Amino acid sequence: MSVGKGPTIAIGLQALPRPLQVRELFLELGEGPEHEKRFGPLVPPVRVGSARGNDVVLDDPTVSRFHLTLERDDEGLVVVDAGSKNGTFLGTVRISRAYLAEGTALRLGRTTLKLALGTTPRTLEMSVHDRFGPLYGRSALMRTLFATLGRLAQVDAPVLIEGETGTGKELVARALHEGGPRKDRPFVVVDCGAVAPSLVESELFGHEKGAFTGADHPRTGAFEAAADGTVFLDEIGELPLALQPKLLRVLEAGTVKPLGATRDRPVRARVVAATHRDVRRMVNDGTFREDLYFRLAVCPVHVPPLRERPDDVTLLVRHFLQRALSAAHGAPVEVEPTAETFAVLAAQPFPGNVRELRNLVERAVILGDPDVVARGDLASALRGIGGVERRAEPGRLPLEEAKRRFEREYLVRLLERHAGDLNTAATEADVHPKSLARLLRRHSLRRDHLPADDDGEE
C-alpha cells in the first residue's frame, strides 16, 4: 500500500559518509613506580587503571582500579576521570573532564602520563549498509558500530552495551542475536532494574517447587529458558551486589543451580548485558564487582546518543513515519516526510535520543490530521505537541540561527529537569559545569530565571 504523492523510499545502501579516522595514542610514564615505561599504539577509548583488563594497567597502589578513560569526540581528545579516589590532575588542577593537547602530562596518584599522537591516522572499519537488524543509521558513527556488531554477532563472547537511556541498547542486543548463528533460538530479556530484588535470583536462575514461601510451582530461569540462545541482562548496573557472585559463577562455570535444587545444570546461552550507568565508577565505589565487570565486558560496545549523530535524523524520521502509518493502515506504507516536517524538527529543542524521536513521530501521526499525515506532512502536528512554537517560515532559517535556537531551548529544558542545579545538569549534558555556565551566559539564561511559559515537556 502506498499513501500520498511522495516518492518511494529505499532504506538500504546509501552514499557512504567519510570514514572515521583516529590518530593512535602513545603514553609514556614519567614519575612513578614504572618510570619511562611506554604504552601504544592505542586507539581511543583507552581505559587506564590498576586493575587487570584495562587497556593501560599501572602498577601503582595510588591509582584507582578504573582511574580514567581517554576518549575522542568531534572537538578532540578528552580525558574523563572515572571517580578515582586520588583524582586526575592537570598541573595542580584536579579535573573530571578536559580536552587534551599533544604532550599534555596527567598525574594519577604518584604516576604521571605524557600523551603523544601517532603520525598516521588509522581508518576505522565501516559498514556499507545503513541498517543492521532493527538498527538504522547512515552516520559514520553508526556504520562503524554496525561493522563492529557484524563481527561480534558471529562469536559467543559476552558483550557489554553501554549508552544513555533511550539510545536503543536492547535493539543492539537483538541485532547481535538475530545477526548470528543463535538467531533461531530464544532471546530472553531480564530487566535487572524492573524486577524486585527479592525475585531477581529466581528470574535469572529459576526455582524448584517449595523453594520459598509462595513457590507453588517450579520456575525455569532465564539462563535455562534461553536454551542455546541469548540472555539479555538489561540494566546490569542495578543487579544487587549479593547476587553478583552467583552470576559470575554461572558465567565462569557454564552451570546454574535453581533455588531449592541440589545439583547444578549446564547452560549454553550467550550473555549480552547493557547499562546506562558508569559501571567502572561503580567498581571504584565498591557497588559492582570488578571480576564480574571484566567477565561481562569482554567486548564492550558504546551506543552513541542521537545528538552525536544528527545525520541519522532524516533516516530515522522516515523509518518511524512509515512504521506508524503502516500500523495505522494495517498494510505497508511508503511515504516521504515533507521538507517542512524536517524544518520544524530542526528548529525545535531536539529529542535527546532515538526513543524520544520515535515517540514524537508516533504522537504526531496519532494526533495529526489523517489526510495531512498520510502525505508525510507532520509539521502542523509537531507544532501542536510538546510545547513546540510555530515559527515563521522555519525552512528558511539560516543554519546558524537554527542551531542557536536549538541550543538555547535545549538548555532551558535541561535546567528545568534539574531545577536549576548546574552540577546535575552538567552531568546529564556530559559537559563540565563551567562549560555549561558559559553556554548559559551566551544565551542570556540564568538558573533562577527560566521562561515561565516553557513547560519543558519531552
Side-chain angles (χ1 to χ4, degrees), residues 424-458:
T424 58
T427 298
E428 179 187 326
D430 202 19
V431 298
H432 193 279
K434 289 185 178 179
S435 298
L436 182 58
R438 283 195 295 270
L439 284 172
L440 295 178
R441 288 195 296 271
R442 182 187 304 168
H443 291 280
S444 301
L445 289 173
R446 292 172 55 186
R447 284 180 281 173
D448 54 345
H449 288 87
L450 298 178
D453 60 346
D454 197 318
D455 61 11
E457 182 180 345
E458 295 184 344

Tab-separated table of all heavy atoms in Angstrom, residues 424-458:
chain	number	residue	atom	x	y	z
A	424	THR	N	24.217	18.822	38.416
A	424	THR	CA	23.497	17.650	37.902
A	424	THR	C	23.120	17.848	36.433
A	424	THR	O	23.124	16.892	35.656
A	424	THR	CB	22.232	17.373	38.730
A	424	THR	OG1	21.380	18.532	38.710
A	424	THR	CG2	22.592	17.022	40.160
A	425	ALA	N	22.807	19.086	36.046
A	425	ALA	CA	22.504	19.363	34.639
A	425	ALA	C	23.747	19.118	33.779
A	425	ALA	O	23.663	18.548	32.685
A	425	ALA	CB	22.020	20.805	34.478
A	426	ALA	N	24.909	19.520	34.263
A	426	ALA	CA	26.154	19.303	33.524
A	426	ALA	C	26.459	17.820	33.391
A	426	ALA	O	26.969	17.370	32.355
A	426	ALA	CB	27.303	20.022	34.222
A	427	THR	N	26.138	17.043	34.428
A	427	THR	CA	26.359	15.593	34.359
A	427	THR	C	25.509	14.973	33.254
A	427	THR	O	25.994	14.153	32.470
A	427	THR	CB	26.027	14.941	35.714
A	427	THR	OG1	26.897	15.475	36.715
A	427	THR	CG2	26.206	13.432	35.641
A	428	GLU	N	24.219	15.355	33.180
A	428	GLU	CA	23.364	14.818	32.116
A	428	GLU	C	23.869	15.247	30.742
A	428	GLU	O	23.873	14.445	29.796
A	428	GLU	CB	21.922	15.287	32.283
A	428	GLU	CG	21.007	14.749	31.165
A	428	GLU	CD	19.612	15.337	31.215
A	428	GLU	OE1	19.116	15.593	32.321
A	428	GLU	OE2	19.014	15.530	30.133
A	429	ALA	N	24.274	16.502	30.614
A	429	ALA	CA	24.723	17.012	29.318
A	429	ALA	C	26.138	16.551	28.977
A	429	ALA	O	26.607	16.780	27.863
A	429	ALA	CB	24.677	18.538	29.322
A	430	ASP	N	26.808	15.915	29.948
A	430	ASP	CA	28.162	15.390	29.742
A	430	ASP	C	29.146	16.509	29.408
A	430	ASP	O	29.978	16.379	28.519
A	430	ASP	CB	28.176	14.318	28.649
A	430	ASP	CG	29.391	13.406	28.774
A	430	ASP	OD1	30.009	13.362	29.853
A	430	ASP	OD2	29.737	12.757	27.770
A	431	VAL	N	29.024	17.610	30.132
A	431	VAL	CA	29.975	18.717	29.986
A	431	VAL	C	30.402	19.163	31.379
A	431	VAL	O	29.757	18.835	32.385
A	431	VAL	CB	29.372	19.920	29.225
A	431	VAL	CG1	28.979	19.526	27.821
A	431	VAL	CG2	28.175	20.506	29.971
A	432	HIS	N	31.475	19.926	31.465
A	432	HIS	CA	31.921	20.460	32.748
A	432	HIS	C	30.969	21.584	33.168
A	432	HIS	O	30.468	22.335	32.322
A	432	HIS	CB	33.348	21.002	32.616
A	432	HIS	CG	33.987	21.288	33.929
A	432	HIS	ND1	33.740	22.440	34.639
A	432	HIS	CD2	34.866	20.564	34.661
A	432	HIS	CE1	34.429	22.426	35.760
A	432	HIS	NE2	35.136	21.294	35.800
A	433	PRO	N	30.679	21.696	34.468
A	433	PRO	CA	29.786	22.776	34.927
A	433	PRO	C	30.210	24.159	34.456
A	433	PRO	O	29.363	25.008	34.150
A	433	PRO	CB	29.849	22.653	36.454
A	433	PRO	CG	30.152	21.214	36.699
A	433	PRO	CD	31.050	20.792	35.573
A	434	LYS	N	31.514	24.420	34.371
A	434	LYS	CA	31.965	25.730	33.893
A	434	LYS	C	31.624	25.928	32.428
A	434	LYS	O	31.270	27.038	32.000
A	434	LYS	CB	33.466	25.876	34.119
A	434	LYS	CG	33.866	26.021	35.585
A	434	LYS	CD	35.354	26.275	35.741
A	434	LYS	CE	35.732	26.458	37.200
A	434	LYS	NZ	37.182	26.673	37.380
A	435	SER	N	31.713	24.847	31.630
A	435	SER	CA	31.328	24.946	30.217
A	435	SER	C	29.841	25.218	30.082
A	435	SER	O	29.415	26.027	29.250
A	435	SER	CB	31.693	23.652	29.481
A	435	SER	OG	33.080	23.423	29.516
A	436	LEU	N	29.042	24.558	30.931
A	436	LEU	CA	27.604	24.799	30.913
A	436	LEU	C	27.289	26.231	31.322
A	436	LEU	O	26.423	26.879	30.717
A	436	LEU	CB	26.904	23.807	31.846
A	436	LEU	CG	25.374	23.899	31.902
A	436	LEU	CD1	24.769	23.712	30.510
A	436	LEU	CD2	24.822	22.856	32.862
A	437	ALA	N	27.992	26.743	32.316
A	437	ALA	CA	27.771	28.124	32.750
A	437	ALA	C	28.082	29.112	31.622
A	437	ALA	O	27.370	30.108	31.436
A	437	ALA	CB	28.625	28.428	33.983
A	438	ARG	N	29.143	28.837	30.863
A	438	ARG	CA	29.481	29.718	29.730
A	438	ARG	C	28.370	29.703	28.680
A	438	ARG	O	28.023	30.744	28.108
A	438	ARG	CB	30.813	29.287	29.114
A	438	ARG	CG	32.035	29.717	29.913
A	438	ARG	CD	33.306	29.587	29.096
A	438	ARG	NE	33.598	28.207	28.767
A	438	ARG	CZ	34.331	27.405	29.529
A	438	ARG	NH1	34.847	27.846	30.663
A	438	ARG	NH2	34.576	26.158	29.154
A	439	LEU	N	27.799	28.508	28.417
A	439	LEU	CA	26.707	28.421	27.443
A	439	LEU	C	25.486	29.209	27.919
A	439	LEU	O	24.810	29.874	27.128
A	439	LEU	CB	26.323	26.955	27.227
A	439	LEU	CG	27.266	26.126	26.364
A	439	LEU	CD1	26.860	24.659	26.396
A	439	LEU	CD2	27.270	26.632	24.931
A	440	LEU	N	25.207	29.138	29.217
A	440	LEU	CA	24.063	29.886	29.763
A	440	LEU	C	24.264	31.384	29.588
A	440	LEU	O	23.332	32.114	29.210
A	440	LEU	CB	23.871	29.545	31.242
A	440	LEU	CG	23.485	28.098	31.570
A	440	LEU	CD1	23.389	27.911	33.080
A	440	LEU	CD2	22.186	27.718	30.902
A	441	ARG	N	25.470	31.859	29.855
A	441	ARG	CA	25.748	33.288	29.681
A	441	ARG	C	25.629	33.686	28.211
A	441	ARG	O	25.129	34.773	27.892
A	441	ARG	CB	27.144	33.615	30.218
A	441	ARG	CG	27.247	33.579	31.736
A	441	ARG	CD	28.524	34.259	32.222
A	441	ARG	NE	29.720	33.565	31.774
A	441	ARG	CZ	30.306	32.589	32.442
A	441	ARG	NH1	29.793	32.173	33.594
A	441	ARG	NH2	31.407	32.006	31.969
A	442	ARG	N	26.072	32.810	27.310
A	442	ARG	CA	25.996	33.105	25.879
A	442	ARG	C	24.553	33.308	25.439
A	442	ARG	O	24.267	34.116	24.555
A	442	ARG	CB	26.631	31.957	25.091
A	442	ARG	CG	26.648	32.199	23.580
A	442	ARG	CD	27.140	30.954	22.858
A	442	ARG	NE	28.452	30.528	23.345
A	442	ARG	CZ	28.991	29.349	23.053
A	442	ARG	NH1	28.321	28.479	22.310
A	442	ARG	NH2	30.183	29.035	23.512
A	443	HIS	N	23.622	32.565	26.060
A	443	HIS	CA	22.214	32.665	25.674
A	443	HIS	C	21.410	33.528	26.646
A	443	HIS	O	20.182	33.513	26.605
A	443	HIS	CB	21.599	31.259	25.596
A	443	HIS	CG	22.131	30.441	24.465
A	443	HIS	ND1	21.687	30.584	23.176
A	443	HIS	CD2	23.085	29.471	24.429
A	443	HIS	CE1	22.335	29.732	22.398
A	443	HIS	NE2	23.185	29.044	23.123
A	444	SER	N	22.104	34.274	27.502
A	444	SER	CA	21.448	35.178	28.464
A	444	SER	C	20.452	34.436	29.340
A	444	SER	O	19.353	34.936	29.633
A	444	SER	CB	20.741	36.328	27.723
A	444	SER	OG	21.668	37.057	26.951
A	445	LEU	N	20.811	33.237	29.768
A	445	LEU	CA	19.957	32.438	30.640
A	445	LEU	C	20.542	32.425	32.045
A	445	LEU	O	21.747	32.362	32.232
A	445	LEU	CB	19.856	30.993	30.129
A	445	LEU	CG	19.057	30.777	28.843
A	445	LEU	CD1	19.197	29.336	28.385
A	445	LEU	CD2	17.592	31.123	29.053
A	446	ARG	N	19.623	32.468	33.024
A	446	ARG	CA	20.039	32.355	34.417
A	446	ARG	C	19.309	31.177	35.017
A	446	ARG	O	18.149	30.908	34.707
A	446	ARG	CB	19.707	33.633	35.194
A	446	ARG	CG	20.534	34.834	34.758
A	446	ARG	CD	20.028	36.104	35.409
A	446	ARG	NE	19.972	35.988	36.868
A	446	ARG	CZ	19.444	36.931	37.656
A	446	ARG	NH1	18.935	38.018	37.138
A	446	ARG	NH2	19.423	36.759	38.961
A	447	ARG	N	19.961	30.478	35.933
A	447	ARG	CA	19.357	29.285	36.524
A	447	ARG	C	18.046	29.593	37.236
A	447	ARG	O	17.134	28.780	37.261
A	447	ARG	CB	20.330	28.657	37.538
A	447	ARG	CG	21.464	27.906	36.897
A	447	ARG	CD	22.365	27.311	37.950
A	447	ARG	NE	23.272	28.300	38.510
A	447	ARG	CZ	24.067	28.076	39.534
A	447	ARG	NH1	24.049	26.912	40.137
A	447	ARG	NH2	24.884	29.016	39.968
A	448	ASP	N	17.953	30.779	37.831
A	448	ASP	CA	16.764	31.105	38.630
A	448	ASP	C	15.766	31.962	37.870
A	448	ASP	O	14.802	32.436	38.442
A	448	ASP	CB	17.179	31.826	39.923
A	448	ASP	CG	18.043	33.047	39.630
A	448	ASP	OD1	18.543	33.162	38.497
A	448	ASP	OD2	18.228	33.856	40.549
A	449	HIS	N	15.986	32.185	36.569
A	449	HIS	CA	15.058	32.994	35.788
A	449	HIS	C	14.828	32.333	34.436
A	449	HIS	O	15.247	32.843	33.405
A	449	HIS	CB	15.593	34.423	35.596
A	449	HIS	CG	15.535	35.243	36.838
A	449	HIS	ND1	16.551	35.240	37.759
A	449	HIS	CD2	14.585	36.069	37.325
A	449	HIS	CE1	16.238	36.058	38.755
A	449	HIS	NE2	15.054	36.564	38.516
A	450	LEU	N	14.130	31.188	34.444
A	450	LEU	CA	13.794	30.492	33.208
A	450	LEU	C	12.455	31.002	32.698
A	450	LEU	O	11.610	31.465	33.469
A	450	LEU	CB	13.703	28.985	33.463
A	450	LEU	CG	15.009	28.330	33.938
A	450	LEU	CD1	14.780	26.867	34.200
A	450	LEU	CD2	16.101	28.531	32.914
A	451	PRO	N	12.208	30.925	31.384
A	451	PRO	CA	10.937	31.379	30.859
A	451	PRO	C	9.755	30.666	31.512
A	451	PRO	O	9.723	29.450	31.572
A	451	PRO	CB	11.044	31.015	29.365
A	451	PRO	CG	12.513	30.969	29.093
A	451	PRO	CD	13.143	30.475	30.355
A	452	ALA	N	8.805	31.421	32.008
A	452	ALA	CA	7.685	30.848	32.760
A	452	ALA	C	6.726	30.080	31.875
A	452	ALA	O	6.003	29.215	32.317
A	452	ALA	CB	6.930	31.943	33.507
A	453	ASP	N	6.678	30.386	30.584
A	453	ASP	CA	5.693	29.761	29.693
A	453	ASP	C	6.266	28.522	29.016
A	453	ASP	O	5.639	27.959	28.139
A	453	ASP	CB	5.239	30.762	28.626
A	453	ASP	CG	6.408	31.245	27.770
A	453	ASP	OD1	7.568	31.023	28.156
A	453	ASP	OD2	6.131	31.857	26.724
A	454	ASP	N	7.428	28.038	29.394
A	454	ASP	CA	8.055	26.887	28.781
A	454	ASP	C	7.816	25.680	29.670
A	454	ASP	O	8.332	25.595	30.771
A	454	ASP	CB	9.573	27.126	28.621
A	454	ASP	CG	10.174	26.163	27.656
A	454	ASP	OD1	9.827	24.986	27.706
A	454	ASP	OD2	11.002	26.622	26.838
A	455	ASP	N	6.963	24.719	29.227
A	455	ASP	CA	6.571	23.625	30.114
A	455	ASP	C	7.579	22.479	30.145
A	455	ASP	O	7.437	21.553	30.919
A	455	ASP	CB	5.184	23.083	29.738
A	455	ASP	CG	5.131	22.515	28.335
A	455	ASP	OD1	6.189	22.340	27.693
A	455	ASP	OD2	4.007	22.242	27.881
A	456	GLY	N	8.583	22.502	29.264
A	456	GLY	CA	9.638	21.510	29.332
A	456	GLY	C	9.222	20.111	28.972
A	456	GLY	O	9.938	19.157	29.242
A	457	GLU	N	8.044	19.912	28.370
A	457	GLU	CA	7.608	18.569	28.029
A	457	GLU	C	8.533	17.960	27.004
A	457	GLU	O	8.940	18.612	26.057
A	457	GLU	CB	6.182	18.613	27.468
A	457	GLU	CG	5.641	17.212	27.134
A	457	GLU	CD	4.230	17.280	26.587
A	457	GLU	OE1	3.600	18.332	26.733
A	457	GLU	OE2	3.782	16.287	25.992
A	458	GLU	N	8.849	16.680	27.185
A	458	GLU	CA	9.731	15.993	26.253
A	458	GLU	C	8.893	15.132	25.302
A	458	GLU	O	7.924	14.553	25.703
A	458	GLU	CB	10.712	15.097	27.013
A	458	GLU	CG	11.649	15.929	27.875
A	458	GLU	CD	12.692	15.060	28.558
A	458	GLU	OE1	12.508	13.837	28.613
A	458	GLU	OE2	13.677	15.601	29.046
